[in-house]
Amino acid sequence: AQTVTQSQPEMSVQEAETVTLSCTYDTSENNYYLFWYKQPPSRQMILVIRQEAYKQQNATENRFSVNFQKAAKSFSLKISDSQLGDTAMYFCAFMKHVGDDKIIFGKGTRLHILP
Amino acid sequence: KAGVTQTPRYLIKTRGQQVTLSCSPISGHRSVSWYQQTPGQGLQFLFEYFSETQRNKGNFPGRFSGRQFSNSRSEMNVSTLELGDSALYLCASRTSVHFGGNTGELFFGEGSRLTVL
C-alpha cells in the first residue's frame, strides 16, 4: 500500500522568506501523480501544485515549486517570498492512476507565516 | 460554476446516535470522495463513489457507509457514533478519466464538522 509521510508537523517562517516543506512517499509504481494541497484556516482545501512522475522537470506555479526526486521518493514544496496568506495546512498527496485511483494524503504540515 | 457543497456544516451528536452527511459535487463531476480529517491523523480516505458505485474504499469499520445518487450527489452515514468519530468530514469531487483534461485534481467542499458527546 502507498504511504505518504510529512515529517514536519509545524513550521514558522518570517514573511518574505523561503520555506521548504518535506514529503516522502512509498510506492512500487513507476507512473503516478503527486500533489500539494493547501488548507487555509477555516477555508476550503485547494490544489497548489501537481507533478507527474514520468516528467523529469519539476513543476512550478508562480512562487510555488517542487523538488521531485523520484529515486529517493521525495517530493518537497518550496514557497518563495512567503506571504501572510500562505499561512495554512499543507498536505502532500499521492495517486497511482488518474481518475480511477484513490488519492492518499499525508498528515499535513501546519505553516505559519509571521509578519 | 458552483463549487462542492456540503451540509450540514456543523452538527453535534451523542454517542450511539447516527448521522448522515450530504455532498453535492461540481456539476459534471461524477466522482465523489469522502475523507475524515482529525488533528492527529490528517486526512484519511473513507470511500469514493463513481456513477452510483463504490469504486474505492479506505480502512474504516462498517459503521461508515455511503451512497451516490443518479445526479452524483452523495451521502455518507455513520451509525452508532463513538467519541472518536468527532472530526471534520470532507467531500471532494473530480472529473472522470474519460473526460479530456483530467488532472486528477480534487475539488473540496468546506466540510461538515461533527462533534460527538
Side-chain angles (χ1 to χ4, degrees):
Chain A
Q2 284 73 31
T3 58
V4 178
T5 303
Q6 293 180 249
S7 59
Q8 305 149 310
E10 196 160 0
M11 299 179 70
S12 296
V13 296
Q14 294 292 138
E15 191 177 9
E17 289 185 346
T18 294
V19 60
T20 299
L21 280 59
S22 301
C23 173
T24 59
Y25 56 94
D26 187 28
T27 184
S28 58
E29 300 290 323
N30 188 47
N31 292 321
Y32 47 87
Y33 302 84
L34 296 163
F35 309 85
W36 278 99
Y37 279 84
K38 169 185 177 181
Q39 186 182 41
S42 302
R43 292 177 62 185
Q44 286 167 288
M45 184 120 59
I46 57 172
L47 178 67
V48 174
I49 201 164
R50 174 182 182 268
Q51 175 80 40
E52 296 163 56
Y54 65 86
K55 290 186 178 179
Q56 293 186 334
Q57 186 172 5
N58 289 324
T60 299
E61 288 288 342
N62 301 313
R63 298 182 296 106
F64 297 87
S65 62
V66 299
N67 183 5
F68 173 50
Q69 302 290 326
K70 190 173 183 179
K73 296 180 182 176
S74 171
F75 183 61
S76 61
L77 174 70
K78 185 172 81 171
I79 306 174
S80 303
D81 186 26
S82 57
Q83 301 174 359
L84 297 179
D86 296 333
T87 292
M89 279 287 288
Y90 287 83
F91 292 94
C92 179
F94 171 98
M95 180 176 69
K96 277 195 299 183
H97 302 288
V98 173
D100 290 340
D101 194 52
K102 60 189 177 185
I103 297 177
I104 302 299
F105 287 80
K107 292 188 177 182
T109 295
R110 186 174 299 278
L111 177 64
H112 302 275
I113 307 299
L114 307 173
Chain B
K1 194 182 251 190
V4 177
T5 304
Q6 290 188 246
T7 57
R9 291 290 314 282
Y10 303 90
L11 64 166
I12 300 174
K13 294 285 187 178
T14 56
R15 280 181 299 174
Q17 287 187 311
Q18 73 159 5
V19 66
T20 299
L21 309 178
S22 179
C23 173
S24 293
I26 289 174
S27 177
H29 287 190
R30 294 162 64 188
S31 164
V32 174
S33 298
W34 288 90
Y35 290 85
Q36 182 194 65
Q37 184 178 4
T38 57
Q41 297 299 318
L43 265 75
Q44 291 188 286
F45 175 76
L46 282 156
F47 28 66
E48 179 187 14
Y49 286 86
F50 178 78
S51 291
E52 302 178 64
T53 301
Q54 189 179 85
R55 183 162 69 178
N56 291 294
K57 188 178 188 303
N59 297 320
F60 276 81
R63 300 185 297 108
F64 292 81
S65 63
R67 59 178 175 169
Q68 188 179 34
F69 302 94
S70 59
N71 62 356
S72 294
R73 189 178 71 85
S74 177
E75 289 182 346
M76 68 162 282
N77 183 277
V78 187
S79 62
T80 319
L81 284 166
E82 300 177 0
L83 296 179
D85 297 333
S86 293
L88 180 66
Y89 289 87
L90 292 171
C91 166
S93 71
R94 57 176 170 169
T95 58
S96 163
V97 68
H98 301 294
F99 284 82
N102 177 24
T103 65
E105 178 181 357
L106 286 172
F107 294 84
F108 283 86
E110 293 181 296
S112 293
R113 184 166 296 281
L114 170 65
T115 302
V116 182
L117 303 176

